[in-house]
Structure formats: structure tokens, C-alpha cells
Amino acid sequence: GNVFEPVQNLADAVDFSGALRTLAVTLTRICNDLRLLASGPSSGFDEIRFSPAQPGSSIMPGKVNPVYAELLNMTCFHVMGCDLTVMLAGQAGQLEVNVMMPILAHNLFEAMHVFIPSIRLFTERGVRLIEANRKKAASTVAKNAVLATALNPVVGYLKAAEIAKEASERDMSIRDVVIERGILTPEKADEVLDARGMTEGGIRAPDGAPDKSDKKSEGGG
């Protein structure tokens, strides 16, 4: 709209660099979340597994490192550093001369040069090959005190809290505790403590409204 504005300053380039930085911040958080969830198997969360990309770590043969998450993390740090240079170069263009444009342009192109392929590698060889550790997940859910909430309508809040505490202290599943104590039969325990049913059973419609929980959304979800 005003041809003098982009000549007077380099704000558009700084804005673009800032967008890359924001994306880098978000992707770093995602990478770190996945690295934590994949930590293990002897310790850590061990909830997901990355596909092996190396024979092992530099000091531990056979260890599966989250190398593509770490690759993208390092790239994100580099992009953040490039953004700092772009920001400083943008504000150093006194009297509309903008003498720092060469280093600004260099860092923008370098940020894209390393960012784009790293995101692609992380997606194709990292995220899309992640597998859930189903055995660990099932064990974690079975021992999670949240399942005791489903016992409230059956045994009451205080008894449910007592069961949850005992399960935690004895490192047992909620199901095993209620069966051992004769509170529920195995069949009834499976029905009441069905975690999959709790999470995939849909949302109950308000009174008088049709229940559409079993229908797919228009978007095909």
C-alpha cells in the first residue's frame, strides 16, 4: 500500500523470522515431550518407541535414541539464533540505509535451509514410525487411581479412595484389589473398570436431545 514503508525498514523480514522462531519454539516443545515419553526402557516413561536409526548411542550399544527429535531440536536452536541476528540487523538500519541487510538475508535463508529438511525428516522417520508401548500403557492405566473414580457409584467415595490408596501402596491394579477384597466379581470389575469404554464411549447427549455419540463427524473424524 505504501512503497516507502518496505524501503524505510526491514520489518517484513523481521516478522517472517519471528514466525520461524515461533514455529521453532513450538516444535522444540513437541520434540521434548516425545523424547520424555520415549525415555527408557529400564527407567523413564517408556510410553512410546521411536524406530531405531543407529546401532546405538555413542556409549551404549543397542540403545534407541530419539535422534530425529534431537536433530530437530538442534535445528530449532539454530533457527532461534538466526532470528536473533535478524532482529539485531533489522534494528541497526539507521537513517533508512539498512546496511545490515546482507547478514539478515543470509540468516533467513540459512534458517529455511536447515529448518525445512529437518522438519521433513522428523515427520517421515520420527513421528510416523512411533509405536505405542501397549503393554506399559495398559499396566499404567490399570494401576492409575483415576480408575477408582468409576467405583464411586458402586462402593461410595470413601471406599473408592481407600481402594485407590491400597492399590498404590501395594503396587497392584485397582481391579485386583477389588477382586481380592471380594467387593466385585471379576466380571463386574471388568465392566465397571473398563478404561476403553470410559474414553471411547462417546459423550452423553443432554436430556431430550438425540444421542449422536456413535456417528462420525462431518469431517470424517
Side-chain angles (χ1 to χ4, degrees), residues 108-156:
L108 278 181
F109 281 114
E110 181 167 333
M112 290 185 287
H113 177 71
V114 299
F115 211 8
I116 294 170
S118 296
I119 294 173
R120 184 179 296 117
L121 280 171
F122 176 65
T123 302
E124 299 294 335
R125 302 184 188 181
V127 174
R128 290 184 177 175
L129 298 181
I130 287 175
E131 294 184 356
N133 184 350
R134 296 178 179 273
K135 183 178 180 180
K136 177 67 176 292
S139 174
T140 301
V141 171
K143 296 178 181 180
N144 198 311
V146 70
L147 284 184
T149 306
L151 295 172
N152 287 348
V154 181
V155 300

Side-chain angles (χ1 to χ4, degrees), residues 33-41 45-50 64 66:
D33 285 349
L34 294 178
R35 290 174 64 206
L36 281 174
L37 293 176
S39 60
F45 289 94
D46 193 27
E47 294 186 4
I48 61 175
R49 301 275 176 88
F50 280 102
V64 178

Side-chain angles (χ1 to χ4, degrees), residues 13-112:
V14 175
D15 285 344
F16 176 60
S17 181
L20 292 179
R21 184 200 67 239
T22 300
L23 177 60
V25 170
T26 299
L27 290 176
T28 298
R29 183 193 56 76
I30 292 172
C31 288
N32 287 335
D33 285 349
L34 294 178
R35 290 174 64 206
L36 281 174
L37 293 176
S39 60
S42 300
S43 59
F45 289 94
D46 193 27
E47 294 186 4
I48 61 175
R49 301 275 176 88
F50 280 102
S51 177
Q54 296 173 324
S57 73
S58 59
I59 59 174
M60 288 176 280
K63 183 177 184 293
V64 178
N65 285 330
V67 291
Y68 291 107
E70 293 168 348
L71 163 69
L72 185 54
N73 262 347
M74 289 186 282
T75 302
C76 288
F77 302 156
H78 188 68
V79 169
M80 294 175 198
C82 288
D83 173 68
L84 177 60
T85 299
V86 170
M87 180 191 70
L88 294 173
Q91 62 89 31
Q94 291 87 349
L95 298 178
E96 305 179 11
V97 180
N98 294 311
V99 296
M100 303 294 175
M101 186 182 292
I103 192 63
L104 181 149
H106 172 84
N107 278 272
L108 278 181
F109 281 114
E110 181 167 333
M112 290 185 287

